[in-house]
Amino acid sequence: MSILNKLKTILLSLICISLFGCHNSESNNTSLQAPTISIKLVDKSGDFEEVNVDVVDVLIKMDDNSNDENGWISLNSNKKVINLLDLTGGVHEVLVDKFPIPTGTLKQIRLVLGDNNTIVIKNDLDVGEVHDLKTPSAQQSGLKLKVDTVIEEGFTYDFVLDFDVDKSVIIAGKSGNINLKPVMRVITEVSSGIIEGSVLPVDESAVASVIDTKGTPETDDDEVLSAYTNYTGHFALWGVSSGTYEVILTPIDSNSKYKVTTVNNIEVVNGEITVIEPAIELALKAGAITGKILNENVVVTASVIVDGVVVEANTNEAGVFLLENIPIGVYKITLTPANGSGLVATELNNEEVKEDETNDLGEITLPGA
């Protein structure tokens, strides 16, 4: 064999060995890649100024659903104090970011809180006051959440801890203590979706909610998922099962001039974010105003001013006018006869419009000039 042919043979062998070695190395690296876990904290929010929780650690337990204190694995969560009311409108706090864990079945997740938990509530002078949050159960052992998820090599698993402040903060009666008894649910992002949207006007605080039937409308496992809007009017509903939903927007202030507003046919796909566009305008609570003009053979225009805009309606052949969709409130009604009628315009003051009611002004005769 010539020297040239020998060199070609050696070179080809080296290439084959190199390719084979790389292939085996890459295969081994893939097969031996440890699964990782990421955990986010979100909040349904509540009607307080601040709710600050002292997160000490996040623990998990593999292949063990018992209450035994052995077998817990620390995920080395960053110790921090988190204001839960900052976690609205799609904002979240990353507690654990792609931390390697063993394979097997993840049975429980445990959130451990420290001593530095506080709440800020406005007093009678509308000034925020800081109060301690008593958290005996969380300090001793941490809140345990059942998961039961199979963990396999080569995958990243994303979980969301959804903290329900309204249910977690307990204001005691005579003692004056304010206790924190954490209520939360754990969400696997890949097996649920998120609904995001915005509400107008942005300064009208509201609660967005859906009824999750979990794909079984005939059973009793329905769950109401809710989230408050933030200061920009944005909201995010986490952990919504795949399906089609009616999103309900409810103003927080029961005396609001806005009413419950719904958006239909919102599709949710597991592992995806559904954004409702454009922004949802809350519907005003409204009523109507009617009356009958007794002057014959004249067209009269009834009008009111709503937020600087004139809303008007003419009388029909029977002399009846109807002003519809007038926001609740007290108005001045102006009745203006057509030019040349010889009649004088008339104003009716302090006429109230109530929700879903029609204020009937009765029979009215306009005076002559």
Side-chain angles (χ1 to χ4, degrees):
M1 183 181 291
S2 67
I3 295 176
L4 182 58
N5 286 337
K6 288 182 179 179
L7 290 174
K8 286 182 179 180
T9 301
I10 294 171
L11 181 59
L12 182 60
S13 299
L14 289 174
I15 292 174
C16 290
I17 292 171
S18 175
L19 289 175
F20 182 78
C22 289
H23 177 73
N24 277 348
S25 174
E26 290 173 2
S27 297
N28 289 338
N29 286 340
T30 300
S31 64
L32 296 177
Q33 181 181 1
T36 60
I37 187 171
S38 295
I39 297 179
K40 302 173 185 176
L41 183 66
V42 300
D43 173 35
K44 288 185 177 179
S45 196
D47 194 17
F48 305 103
E49 298 305 300
E50 295 180 18
V51 177
N52 302 297
V53 294
D54 181 15
V55 176
V56 173
D57 202 356
V58 179
L59 311 174
I60 61 171
K61 182 177 280 193
M62 304 294 299
D63 303 313
D64 183 358
N65 215 13
S66 70
N67 292 322
D68 196 305
E69 288 304 308
N70 297 320
W72 288 99
I73 302 172
S74 171
L75 301 182
N76 291 343
S77 173
N78 292 328
K79 296 181 179 180
K80 60 181 73 174
V81 175
I82 301 169
N83 179 12
L84 294 174
L85 301 194
D86 288 338
L87 307 182
T88 58
V91 177
H92 62 265
E93 181 76 31
V94 177
L95 301 180
V96 179
D97 188 17
K98 295 181 180 178
F99 189 86
I101 60 175
T103 58
T105 301
L106 174 56
K107 289 292 188 178
Q108 300 181 65
I109 295 177
R110 185 177 186 179
L111 179 67
V112 182
L113 301 181
D115 300 321
N116 192 22
N117 304 291
T118 59
I119 187 170
V120 178
I121 303 175
K122 285 187 177 180
N123 58 22
D124 294 338
L125 300 176
D126 204 33
V127 176
E129 291 183 342
V130 180
H131 304 269
D132 290 333
L133 274 174
K134 312 294 183 181
T135 55
S137 60
Q139 290 169 334
Q140 293 169 9
S141 62
L143 180 66
K144 301 172 184 176
L145 301 165
K146 304 294 184 181
V147 182
D148 202 30
T149 298
V150 176
I151 305 298
E152 299 178 346
E153 290 180 330
F155 291 92
T156 293
Y157 295 84
D158 297 312
F159 295 91
V160 176
L161 304 183
D162 189 3
F163 212 114
D164 192 330
V165 165
D166 276 339
K167 294 181 179 179
S168 299
V169 175
I170 309 298
I171 300 178
K174 296 181 180 179
S175 69
N177 290 334
I178 304 177
N179 300 320
L180 180 64
K181 296 183 178 179
V183 175
M184 66 175 66
R185 62 192 183 109
V186 60
I187 302 162
T188 307
E189 285 195 298
V190 72
S191 62
S192 62
I194 301 171
I195 300 175
E196 291 190 4
S198 296
V199 173
L200 295 176
V202 298
D203 58 352
E204 185 69 29
S205 297
V207 176
S209 59
V210 297
I211 299 176
D212 189 347
T213 64
K214 305 183 186 302
T216 55
E218 69 283 356
T219 62
D220 296 328
D221 61 350
D222 294 0
E223 183 178 11
V224 178
L225 308 180
S226 61
Y228 284 68
T229 55
N230 65 10
Y231 68 96
T232 67
H234 192 76
F235 67 86
L237 292 163
W238 294 74
V240 185
S241 302
S242 178
T244 302
Y245 292 89
E246 176 186 68
V247 179
I248 304 169
L249 290 310
T250 305
I252 294 175
D253 184 359
S254 60
N255 296 318
S256 171
K257 64 181 181 179
Y258 297 95
K259 64 181 180 180
V260 176
T261 304
T262 60
V263 184
N264 296 313
N265 299 319
I266 302 302
E267 297 284 345
V268 175
V269 178
N270 288 343
E272 296 185 9
I273 299 175
T274 298
V275 180
I276 301 175
E277 293 180 326
I280 305 162
E281 294 192 27
L282 294 176
L284 287 163
K285 294 177 180 176
I289 302 171
T290 189
K292 182 176 182 178
I293 305 300
L294 295 180
N295 306 83
E296 297 181 352
N297 302 319
V298 61
V299 175
V300 176
T301 301
S303 62
V304 296
I305 298 177
V306 179
D307 293 331
V309 177
V310 176
V311 179
E312 58 185 28
N314 292 332
T315 53
N316 60 16
E317 294 179 353
V320 176
F321 65 85
L322 178 63
L323 294 163
E324 297 182 283
N325 295 319
I326 306 300
I328 60 173
V330 177
Y331 295 92
K332 176 176 71 175
I333 316 300
T334 302
L335 304 173
T336 307
N339 291 333
S341 66
L343 301 176
V344 176
T346 298
E347 293 181 349
L348 304 175
N349 295 307
N350 301 318
E351 295 295 340
E352 186 176 7
V353 175
K354 297 181 179 180
E355 184 180 6
D356 298 329
E357 294 185 11
T358 298
N359 182 353
D360 190 347
L361 304 179
E363 296 179 337
I364 303 167
T365 301
L366 300 184

